[in-house]
Amino acid sequence: MTRNGTLIKAAALCSLLAVVLACGTKKPIASSGGEMRVSAAVRTAVLARVAEQQPQYATFSGRAKTNLTINEKDQYDVTAQVRMVRDEAIWISVTAVMGIEVARLLITPDSIKIINRLRAEYVQKPFSYLHQFVNSDVDFLNIQQLLLGGVAHQLGGDDVTVWQGSYGYVLQKETNGLQYEVRLDNDYQNSYTSIAEPDYGQRLEASYADYQASASNPFPYQMEISIAAPRLTLQSEMKYSKAAYDEKVELPFSIPPRYTEVQ
């Protein structure tokens, strides 16, 4: 694969954070030490506060400078423009040197489309195509939540375990072979998320910091993503310069006729 091809692949992986799960060390779901499991009453109160903290919005738009390190040697600086219509679509444009667009993505609950402008190629697949590679519990809502620092929607209900530590709380749940863990700070904001499938050695980890108010929603202006796969490792640092909720957004996406479809 060429350097440009690798860049496009990395940009797509960075954008599909919740979809491309990473390989990691197998380990049982458990507290990391120093936490105390809370009572049922406290657990209910914590989950209620978490629900209150989740972003309430119709649309989102943001711009982030992103540093990508691929296979621990190749580094790229790109800019990602992210736009969302809640529960309907996620649109991402990735630009490189001199603001030249190298990739555009459109993700919906039904489909995934990617345009590779450097190679004049495109990918067009049903969303279910991803379930060849990840657990079927990973869905469009997970992508949407992770891109905004939200808590995975699976972490709700009576089967969630809550631990309390000096820094805040840990939420944990295991279902359908997936292990979910979210760490909350003392303001009930997501500081760390892990989604793992130990039977297949898969793991995605994301950390969030520098929460700032945007409209009535706090948003993490800094995100760090760590992904490792058999033939690819990816470290990503995203620093947002702009984040806004409930502004009018457009999601232009058209595939030039001369582009070749990648099967």
Side-chain angles (χ1 to χ4, degrees), residues 142-217:
N142 288 128
I143 304 174
Q144 184 174 259
Q145 290 159 330
L146 281 174
L147 285 172
L148 298 178
V151 173
H153 64 89
Q154 291 89 346
L155 283 167
D158 295 337
D159 52 354
V160 176
T161 303
V162 179
W163 307 77
Q164 184 174 14
S166 59
Y167 51 83
Y169 295 92
V170 179
L171 312 182
Q172 293 179 328
K173 179 177 179 177
E174 183 168 1
T175 180
N176 296 334
L178 283 183
Q179 295 180 351
Y180 298 86
E181 179 174 318
V182 169
R183 295 181 177 271
L184 308 172
D185 62 21
N186 287 310
D187 293 322
Y188 297 90
Q189 294 171 337
N190 184 1
S191 61
Y192 170 84
T193 289
S194 171
I195 303 176
E197 192 170 14
D199 289 346
Y200 295 92
Q202 298 178 330
R203 182 178 303 276
L204 174 148
E205 294 177 298
S207 61
Y208 307 95
D210 191 20
Y211 276 88
Q212 299 179 31
S214 180
S216 59
N217 297 303

Side-chain angles (χ1 to χ4, degrees), residues 103-156:
R104 185 174 295 190
L105 301 90
L106 181 63
I107 309 165
T108 72
D110 299 322
S111 65
I112 295 174
K113 301 175 183 179
I114 304 174
I115 295 176
N116 178 343
R117 297 205 184 278
L118 293 182
R119 299 175 65 85
E121 296 174 342
Y122 70 94
V123 175
Q124 185 169 269
K125 298 289 185 181
F127 191 91
S128 59
Y129 174 77
L130 294 170
H131 295 151
Q132 298 181 47
F133 313 104
V134 300
N135 189 288
S136 60
D137 269 18
V138 175
D139 57 21
F140 177 82
L141 293 182
N142 288 128
I143 304 174
Q144 184 174 259
Q145 290 159 330
L146 281 174
L147 285 172
L148 298 178
V151 173
H153 64 89
Q154 291 89 346
L155 283 167

Side-chain angles (χ1 to χ4, degrees), residues 6 14 142 197 234:
T6 302
C14 180
N142 288 128
E197 192 170 14
L234 172 65

Side-chain angles (χ1 to χ4, degrees), residues 83 91 101 104-106 115 117 249-254:
R83 302 174 187 170
W91 179 97
E101 185 180 57
R104 185 174 295 190
L105 301 90
L106 181 63
I115 295 176
R117 297 205 184 278
V249 299
E250 296 182 354
L251 313 178
F253 195 95
S254 60

Side-chain angles (χ1 to χ4, degrees), residues 63-66 77-81 93-96:
R63 181 184 298 110
K65 294 289 187 181
T66 304
D77 290 314
V78 299
T79 298
Q81 293 195 52
S93 173
V94 180
T95 58

